[in-house]
Each structure stands twice: as structure tokens, then as C-alpha cells.
Amino acid sequence: MVTTADDVVSLFASRGRAASELAQWRHRKPHVAERVMRHVSAAPYTLGSAEFAAFGFGHPLEEIRSEAAYREIEVRDWFPEFAMVHLFHFALERKGGLFSYAEFRDFCKTDEDGQGFSRQAQDKVRELVSSKGCTLEAAVNAMKWRVGNGYYSFLRELYLVARLREAGLDARIHPLADALFRVDAWCGRTTVEMYVANRTFKDGRDGRKPHPETYLGDQEAFSFVRLEMQAQHAFGKLHLPTGEEVGRCIAELRKSPGTGCM
């Protein structure tokens, strides 16, 4: 089973704000759009949730603490040419399954667009040091925190898709839907948005990050489900949604009109 960018466009972006966002993005970033539009998601549907407990993901955050990393707001709000979720999806399909953080770094050394991402990250670090008065250690740590958290977030999305599919729901995922419309996954015409509660970014309807409704709310065909994870405080490990949190999401999806079942 596969999901293509054309599947995403026909479902989400045939009209309304989503169609406008898609057209603007393709005009603004033609190289990015060309690669994302030919991306096919297949590997996510081969994963089982049990794999996540046994896999060695590595320690992308090392000993860095959020209090230090978030002082560098320009890194927290830095947006490279390719969204990180694009590159994570590309790496997933190249590997054909779960990949460690070290394997992602290797991917960025061999993939042309991954190399570009690395150069942009290094340029941002140098900018913070040269023009913002930031120490090299602080700038590097902030960048590691940003990319490492993006990696963990991507893994949570893959885990959620696996859990939903194991529950008999036809959960889908694709980087075009994620990066452009903030749709972490979807089942039929019901979108799923997952996030860790954080008032700065997302917490209920607060926070600065947009929601799928922002782009799809003008199309009456869609329903929207949220999975809000409570913050977990064990350091240096992948935090996954709890069984209770996933269970509530599954129950909401089953009540939602238009949810696809396998």
C-alpha cells in the first residue's frame, strides 16, 4: 500500500485555502515541490508499534536541556529550504523502515538535499555566533535540540499511524500533508493532529503553530481530531503517546464521520 502526493492533493487541495497554499508553495519553492510531489510513502505502512520499543534510535538531544536551547529563539524559529519532516520521510523510504539518528546524519551526507540542509544549519550556527553574540557551543546545542526534537516528533507520528492501523483504521501519512497543511495523519476525511502540550507552540487552541483547520476549515467535508500528549519528563528517550492517549484518539476517530476503516 502506498500514498502519493497526488492522493494528498486530490483529497485536501482541490479547492479553497489549501489549493491556494499549494499553488503558492510550488511557485515559491519549485525544487522542494518537485521532490516532495514525486515522493511515495510506503515504508510507514510496514511498521508495527512493537518495533519502537526495541529499536535503537540513539540520543539526538545528548545532554542538552531545553532551557538552554530555547534561549536561541532564532534557531527555534529557523526554517530550512526543505522542512525537516520532508527529509525524515525521504530517509525512511531509503532505509525501508525505522532509522537511527546517526543514520539520518549519514543520509544528510549522501543525499543532495540532505547536504543542502546540513549547509543551511551550519550557516545558521555561524550567523548566531558572528552577528548575534552567541557562543559556538550554545548555537550548536540549540541546533541539535531543534533537529533532534523534529526527529522525535516524526517517530511519534509513525508510531501513531502504526497504532491506528493495528486498530483497524486506514491511517495515512505523507510529508506534503504534514508540512503544508499540518496534517500529521488522516483516516478517510478525518485529520489527526498530535502534539505535546506546550503553550508556546500548541496547547489546546493556544500557541503559535497553526492547526489543520487553518487550511482545511473552509471545506465542510473534513473532521478534525487532536491527540494532545502530556509532557513526559524522563530525559534522553523517545516519548510516545500513552495507551490512554491513543485510545481516546481511536475512540474519537471511530465516532467521526468519514473515517476510513480497513
Side-chain angles (χ1 to χ4, degrees), residues 68-106:
Y70 280 161
R71 291 188 191 122
E72 309 307 332
I73 294 176
E74 291 202 18
V75 170
R76 188 187 71 190
D77 297 338
W78 168 70
F79 298 100
E81 181 185 24
F82 276 88
M84 285 184 286
V85 72
H86 293 150
L87 297 173
F88 295 142
H89 272 279
F90 300 161
L92 179 74
E93 294 300 331
R94 177 180 290 187
K95 176 71 181 296
L98 294 176
F99 57 91
S100 69
Y101 191 69
E103 287 175 315
F104 175 68
R105 289 173 63 88
D106 289 341

Side-chain angles (χ1 to χ4, degrees), residues 20-260:
S20 177
E21 290 287 335
L22 175 66
Q24 292 176 34
W25 171 73
R26 298 183 79 162
H27 177 75
R28 188 173 67 253
K29 292 188 173 184
H31 172 64
V32 174
E34 189 277 331
R35 183 164 185 186
V36 174
M37 291 301 295
R38 57 184 167 86
H39 179 81
V40 177
S41 289
Y45 309 128
T46 69
L47 301 175
S49 61
E51 294 181 53
F52 289 77
F55 194 83
F57 296 108
H59 301 284
L61 303 185
E62 298 177 352
E63 297 302 318
I64 306 163
R65 298 289 176 170
S66 61
E67 296 83 0
Y70 280 161
R71 291 188 191 122
E72 309 307 332
I73 294 176
E74 291 202 18
V75 170
R76 188 187 71 190
D77 297 338
W78 168 70
F79 298 100
E81 181 185 24
F82 276 88
M84 285 184 286
V85 72
H86 293 150
L87 297 173
F88 295 142
H89 272 279
F90 300 161
L92 179 74
E93 294 300 331
R94 177 180 290 187
K95 176 71 181 296
L98 294 176
F99 57 91
S100 69
Y101 191 69
E103 287 175 315
F104 175 68
R105 289 173 63 88
D106 289 341
F107 169 83
C108 288
K109 294 175 183 176
T110 58
D111 179 86
E112 180 180 355
D113 296 316
Q115 292 169 348
F117 170 80
S118 295
R119 287 193 296 270
Q120 291 169 53
Q122 292 162 9
D123 288 345
K124 188 63 181 180
V125 166
R126 284 192 288 268
E127 176 191 335
L128 287 171
V129 173
S130 63
S131 63
K132 304 297 181 182
C134 183
T135 67
L136 178 60
E137 180 183 19
V140 168
N141 284 347
M143 183 61 72
K144 287 180 178 178
W145 182 267
R146 173 75 195 280
V147 180
N149 270 295
Y151 170 68
Y152 277 154
S153 179
F154 174 68
L155 294 175
R156 282 192 288 270
E157 292 171 9
L158 294 178
Y159 175 79
L160 178 62
V161 168
R163 288 291 306 272
L164 296 181
R165 296 188 66 80
E166 288 164 0
L169 297 168
D170 187 15
R172 303 293 185 118
I173 191 171
H174 193 280
L176 177 63
D178 193 326
L180 202 59
F181 307 130
R182 303 302 190 270
V183 176
D184 296 325
W186 70 93
C187 301
R189 291 188 172 274
T190 303
T191 71
V192 183
E193 176 188 18
M194 178 172 58
Y195 54 91
V196 178
N198 180 321
R199 190 164 294 278
T200 300
F201 298 101
K202 283 183 181 177
D203 186 357
R205 292 196 172 273
D206 296 329
R208 65 177 178 81
K209 286 191 175 182
H211 301 280
E213 298 97 311
T214 305
Y215 306 97
L216 305 174
D218 59 355
Q219 301 182 55
E220 296 179 358
F222 293 104
S223 301
F224 307 96
V225 168
R226 293 182 179 177
L227 192 164
E228 180 175 286
M229 289 177 56
Q230 292 307 304
Q232 301 174 34
H233 301 290
F235 187 75
K237 61 176 292 187
L238 170 64
H239 295 155
L240 297 172
T242 65
E244 182 180 358
E245 289 165 343
V246 173
R248 286 198 297 267
C249 180
I250 290 171
E252 287 190 52
L253 283 167
R254 286 176 172 157
K255 290 189 297 184
S256 179
T259 295

Side-chain angles (χ1 to χ4, degrees), residues 6-27:
D6 286 342
D7 294 331
V8 176
V9 173
S10 62
L11 178 63
F12 295 120
S14 62
R15 60 190 179 92
R17 177 168 177 177
S20 177
E21 290 287 335
L22 175 66
Q24 292 176 34
W25 171 73
R26 298 183 79 162
H27 177 75

